[in-house]
Amino acid sequence: MEKPFLIAGGGIGGLACALALARKGFAVRLFEQQGEFREAGAGIQLGPNMFKALERLDLKDAVLADAWQPGAQEMRCALSGKLVARIPLEEEFRAKFKEPYGVTHRHDLLAAYLKACKAQKLISLETSRRVESFRDEGARVVVTLSNGDEVEGEALIGSDGVWSRVREQIVGDGAPIVSGHIAYRAVLKKSEVPEDLWQPDVVLWAGPRTHLVHYPLRRGELYNLVAVFHSKQYVEGWDAAGDTALLWRHFKGQRPEVLRMLERIETWRMWVLCDREPVKNWSKGRVTLLGDAAHPMLQYLAQGANMATEDAVVLAEKLSEAKGDVAAACTAYQEARYKRTAWVQIMARIYGELYHAEGVKAELRNESLGARTPQDAYKGVEWLYAGI
Ligand SMILES: Cc1cc2nc3c(=O)[nH]c(=O)nc-3n(C[C@H](O)[C@H](O)[C@H](O)COP(=O)(O)OP(=O)(O)OC[C@H]3O[C@@H](n4cnc5c(N)ncnc54)[C@H](O)[C@@H]3O)c2cc1C
């Protein structure tokens, strides 16, 4: 009997991968180190490319059911309040990219993936199981878990995030690069947002070395806030408490709309933002990487989870086409994905520079983005939103 495919990590990427493999008829054992499947309490943006991947996983309707579809993306200057650019996301956008733009709560996204995985007999979801190391023995891969158990499988897919253990053994490029940018995030109930500040769109307030993004979540019942600024602080993980005084120092002097929004939050959670240089050696024999383990990126293009879901679809298709040659399928998957994901990694850094520009750079940004028509803006993201 064929051995199961082993997956390290049950975040968005790992669960998408389990589902994609099961839909192609492969048995899966997924190991998650935490005691439960859990996502940070925050929002996430989903481009048309994500909906194309979700369609292939038969998950699009489940995700859309809880999502919010904003009417536009807006950039405003956090010092003057002026509108810099507005990209409509309605009929013309949907006609162009054949899919909508969505924003959703991470819990809701994870819940949709988890429900679909639990409905699959071919998937075994195993929590409190940490992958420590692996051996590729040519005809099989053997994974060692932290309690000493050894598990054998057809292949190992490392979807264990930015601080991936599996990546250490395959790529070995050390710790991720700390960007020096920190994100503070919070989610409010709609009733907690002052009526004159609530907006149906994704709004980004660009300030010197800072930005604030806000948008509705969960069918409009919640409101997501992410404040980003430059800082040398470093805490590993995604859920440390944020120091409010530090936040205020960075946003001092900005528009009342920004400050009044920040004032609504009592407790912030903090993310230290990291990425890596793109590589193209994330597959070796029967072991490969997926999502942030393969190509961690800054969040400025809002694409990490989108890319992880696309990865899952492509990997499952390559494995299905390979007729048993697992190593060849892993290589084919990497070949199909590395340039696209590298481009997103690189562009995300550039977008971060633009959002946080000051002085002359900010002036130039405002002039060039402000001069674009919606059609120009759509053309600029065609490579991304066209999807896989
Ligand atoms: C502020 C911010 C905003 C973002 N906004 C967006 C957005 O709008 N749109 C978007 O698409 N992306 C966004 N992203 C990126 C997105 O969150 C990530 O790219 C995505 O969550 C990565 O998923 P993953 O499954 O690859 O990794 P993770 O979510 O990190 O999951 C890894 C999982 O593996 C588990 N694990 C780790 N090590 C082991 C081990 N050794 N054994 C077993 N389990 C293990 C972890 O517990 C975790 O559950 C944002 C990121 C940040 C920081």
Side-chain angles (χ1 to χ4, degrees):
M1 205 175 80
E2 263 186 15
K3 295 176 275 299
F5 283 78
L6 309 179
I7 299 179
I12 287 163
L15 290 174
C17 183
L19 188 62
L21 292 180
R23 292 226 193 280
K24 294 286 183 194
F26 297 113
V28 175
R29 288 183 72 181
L30 180 149
F31 304 112
E32 167 55 46
Q33 66 181 0
Q34 301 184 95
E36 58 180 353
F37 293 96
R38 205 171 52 218
E39 260 294 332
I44 194 157
Q45 303 188 43
L46 314 172
N49 57 311
M50 174 65 146
F51 287 107
K52 284 173 191 162
L54 289 171
E55 180 86 69
R56 310 254 282 259
L57 295 175
D58 201 15
L59 269 181
K60 182 177 147 187
D61 291 343
V63 171
L64 270 177
D66 290 319
W68 176 262
Q69 292 184 41
Q73 284 172 336
E74 270 188 17
M75 183 189 276
R76 292 187 168 269
C77 172
L79 299 180
S80 69
K82 281 197 185 130
L83 181 68
V84 174
R86 187 169 200 278
I87 307 175
L89 300 173
E90 289 170 327
E91 294 84 38
E92 194 182 349
F93 178 91
R94 284 196 286 266
K96 165 111 188 128
F97 296 112
K98 314 279 184 290
E99 294 290 349
Y101 197 91
V103 285
T104 198
H105 198 298
R106 285 167 177 270
H107 292 174
D108 298 342
L109 186 65
L110 196 81
Y113 284 37
L114 200 52
K115 188 172 173 205
C117 284
K118 284 182 175 164
Q120 287 285 339
K121 287 203 175 59
L122 284 170
I123 301 177
S124 158
L125 297 174
E126 306 181 28
T127 49
S128 303
R129 305 274 267 166
R130 180 176 162 77
V131 170
E132 285 300 336
S133 61
F134 65 83
R135 299 190 305 277
D136 186 342
E137 297 186 344
R140 63 173 197 162
V141 62
V142 179
V143 163
T144 306
L145 301 175
S146 55
N147 65 353
D149 283 359
E150 292 208 329
V151 185
E152 63 165 17
E154 282 294 324
L156 169 64
I157 298 119
S159 55
D160 47 347
V162 183
W163 296 276
S164 168
R165 278 306 281 249
V166 181
R167 183 179 178 114
E168 264 172 51
Q169 254 187 277
I170 298 197
V171 185
D173 54 353
I177 301 166
V178 179
S179 66
H181 300 187
I182 294 203
Y184 277 31
R185 64 191 156 74
V187 174
L188 294 174
K189 292 197 192 105
K190 185 176 183 188
S191 57
E192 293 169 330
V193 183
E195 246 174 69
D196 62 315
L197 294 185
W198 190 91
Q199 294 210 42
D201 302 329
V202 176
V203 180
L204 185 147
W205 294 89
R209 293 150 65 86
T210 69
H211 80 267
L212 168 71
V213 182
H214 50 73
Y215 51 81
L217 295 177
R218 195 169 290 160
R219 304 172 297 273
E221 293 157 25
L222 301 174
Y223 212 64
N224 187 58
L225 281 102
V226 184
V228 180
F229 55 90
H230 294 203
S231 162
K232 298 253 175 297
Q233 271 198 45
Y234 179 69
V235 179
E236 199 165 295
W238 282 19
D239 215 19
D243 169 0
T244 312
L246 184 68
L247 177 82
W248 279 108
R249 278 210 296 284
H250 285 86
F251 284 83
K252 199 166 156 222
Q254 296 201 0
R255 290 286 301 172
E257 297 91 318
V258 173
L259 302 183
R260 282 176 59 218
M261 199 64 106
L262 298 180
E263 264 168 20
R264 308 304 303 170
I265 317 287
E266 279 170 21
T267 318
W268 293 89
R269 310 303 296 171
M270 180 174 98
W271 252 308
V272 172
L273 304 169
C274 301
D275 70 354
R276 289 181 184 274
E277 290 303 324
V279 296
K280 57 173 191 174
N281 57 336
W282 76 57
S283 287
K284 196 170 177 191
R286 289 175 174 266
V287 185
T288 191
L289 303 175
L290 180 148
D292 279 4
H295 41 67
M297 51 189 64
L298 299 180
Q299 84 290 6
Y300 298 114
L301 270 184
Q303 279 288 328
N306 293 224
M307 286 297 126
T309 306
E310 285 189 5
D311 284 350
V313 170
V314 174
L315 176 60
E317 281 174 5
K318 295 296 178 198
L319 282 164
S320 172
E321 287 161 10
K323 306 211 173 1
D325 191 343
V326 172
C330 289
T331 306
Y333 150 71
Q334 174 188 280
E335 287 301 304
R337 295 296 294 158
Y338 82 87
K339 284 188 192 145
R340 176 164 171 80
T341 53
W343 197 234
V344 183
Q345 285 175 291
I346 293 163
M347 291 307 290
R349 288 180 181 170
I350 294 171
Y351 271 58
E353 291 270 320
L354 281 180
Y355 294 165
H356 295 174
E358 50 192 325
V360 176
K361 280 192 207 164
E363 247 182 78
L364 288 169
R365 172 199 66 201
N366 295 353
E367 274 177 27
S368 68
L369 294 185
R372 289 193 311 175
T373 61
Q375 294 69 33
D376 294 334
Y378 298 159
K379 207 164 172 23
V381 285
E382 208 166 358
W383 65 276
L384 182 58
Y385 290 165
I388 42 178

